[in-house]
Amino acid sequence: MRDWIARGVRAVYERVLRREISGVPTHVAIIQDGNRRYAREQGTAAKQGHEAGAETTEQVLEWCADLGIEELTIYAFSTENFDRPATEREHLFDLLTEKLYEFADSDRIHEEGVRIRALGQTHRVPERVQDAIAYARQQTAAYDTLTLNVAIAYGGRAALLDVAQDVADGVAAGDLEPGDVDVEAIESRLYDGELRDVDLIVRTGGDERTSNFLPWHANGNEAAAFFCTPYWPEFSKVDFLRAIRTYEAREASWRQTRTQRALALVRALGEGRGRRVLDRLGESLPDGTEPIEETESSAD
């Protein structure tokens, strides 16, 4: 009886949150933390925790498709995970292989137009995982409605070091001029294909840190961050909607800040010139921006 009431309350809260959300981030990145702690609390092996977490990943992908989010990046296996016990690593590799093939052959993936690709030093993982990555990428390469990036053997610092080495090699070989090293040159070498700037980072499991996840695209874009206590297998749609609400609040705050700066600049230019500049900026400023009041001296 108590569980039934709790489910009813959660369903009502979901609807309330959904009505409060007027827009969604373009790119969400998730640090899926807490699988092993969840398993310990359930009295099971880490293997069961990772399997339960994989089910949550499937649900989140569905929520992204339903909400119209265009890109989702999940932190599946970090470079630090290579330090875990061999039996746990092998299970993770088996699970990644299984899920990549399963996703690539899923009717829902093809109906929703989901493109799957991997980020990271994938040459370091076993051949069976590399084969699954290649298969998923090939099966979904034609889609562009929603992109699922699976970060495997990934570390933000390692990714930037790889790019720095590649740039240095290009300059040394004469293929790249030092003056041509710009944002585009870095981004073209970071990952296989374009990656949108991250708008929202979500981390489960209670830790409030981003673990060097996608530093170029998240920190550089000053992404909103949402930290929550549920372990990844317990992460619910309510938690996901609350994360998006946090993103919206952050965006609203940034819009207000930009508006205030723009108005300060316009007023500094003087009321006559300022009104003309404000008119040009009009469509880019949020609703509710106060106009500059015209005075007798502003007719020049």
Side-chain angles (χ1 to χ4, degrees), residues 17-25 244-245 247-248 255:
L17 286 170
R18 187 66 186 89
R19 284 197 296 268
E20 289 180 352
I21 294 171
S22 58
V24 295
I244 293 175
R245 187 176 62 180
Y247 157 78
E248 279 205 311
R255 284 197 298 270

Side-chain angles (χ1 to χ4, degrees), residues 12-275:
V12 171
Y13 190 31
E14 278 184 23
R15 291 196 293 270
V16 170
L17 286 170
R18 187 66 186 89
R19 284 197 296 268
E20 289 180 352
I21 294 171
S22 58
V24 295
T26 299
H27 185 181
V28 177
I30 301 181
I31 302 169
Q32 309 165 107
D33 198 11
N35 288 338
R36 292 188 295 174
R37 283 175 287 165
Y38 171 82
R40 283 197 297 269
E41 291 191 5
Q42 298 297 311
T44 60
K47 175 180 178 179
Q48 278 70 45
H50 293 308
E51 290 172 352
E55 294 178 7
T56 301
T57 300
E58 294 181 44
Q59 292 178 333
V60 171
L61 186 60
E62 291 182 6
W63 301 338
C64 287
D66 291 341
L67 291 167
I69 292 169
E70 297 179 25
E71 191 153 5
L72 170 67
T73 302
I74 57 173
Y75 210 166
F77 191 93
S78 71
T79 50
E80 289 76 15
N81 288 156
F82 283 107
D83 296 330
R84 291 189 178 183
T87 53
E88 185 178 351
R89 287 201 313 269
E90 288 305 309
H91 171 68
L92 284 169
F93 293 145
D94 287 342
L95 187 59
L96 284 168
T97 301
E98 175 189 336
K99 288 301 177 181
L100 284 166
Y101 279 117
E102 183 181 311
F103 277 25
D105 291 332
S106 166
D107 290 339
R108 181 72 186 268
I109 291 291
H110 294 282
E111 289 168 3
E112 298 290 353
V114 180
R115 177 178 59 162
I116 302 172
R117 61 180 181 172
L119 310 177
Q121 298 176 335
T122 56
H123 63 277
R124 298 180 60 186
V125 299
E127 187 175 349
R128 64 185 185 278
V129 184
Q130 295 183 43
D131 290 343
I133 290 170
Y135 180 78
R137 179 183 292 139
Q138 179 183 6
Q139 292 296 104
T140 63
Y143 302 137
D144 61 4
T145 302
L146 169 60
T147 298
L148 171 62
N149 303 308
V150 186
I152 300 175
Y154 177 85
R157 181 176 295 179
L160 293 177
L161 284 173
D162 286 345
V163 171
Q165 184 63 59
D166 190 44
V167 168
D169 290 344
V171 170
D175 298 327
L176 181 66
E177 292 296 325
D180 292 334
V181 179
D182 54 13
V183 169
E184 184 178 349
I186 299 298
E187 290 186 346
S188 66
R189 290 168 168 78
L190 262 175
Y191 307 113
D192 181 17
E194 181 182 358
L195 192 77
R196 297 175 178 87
D197 283 340
V198 176
D199 302 303
L200 171 65
I201 286 187
V202 177
R203 182 176 187 136
T204 62
D207 285 342
E208 296 188 1
R209 51 195 175 89
T210 58
S211 294
N212 202 23
F213 190 33
L214 301 174
W216 182 274
H217 290 85
N219 297 346
N221 193 43
E222 297 188 345
F226 179 79
F227 305 106
C228 59
T229 56
Y231 301 136
W232 180 241
E234 301 170 321
F235 188 71
S236 68
K237 191 171 185 179
V238 163
D239 297 315
F240 191 57
L241 293 173
R242 288 176 60 222
I244 293 175
R245 187 176 62 180
T246 296
Y247 157 78
E248 279 205 311
R250 169 69 181 273
E251 284 298 290
S253 174
W254 270 112
R255 284 197 298 270
Q256 185 62 33
T257 299
R258 287 194 294 268
T259 298
Q260 292 170 352
R261 290 173 179 170
L263 290 177
L265 176 62
V266 167
R267 290 191 175 104
L269 291 173
E271 294 182 357
R273 292 174 60 198
R275 173 173 290 280

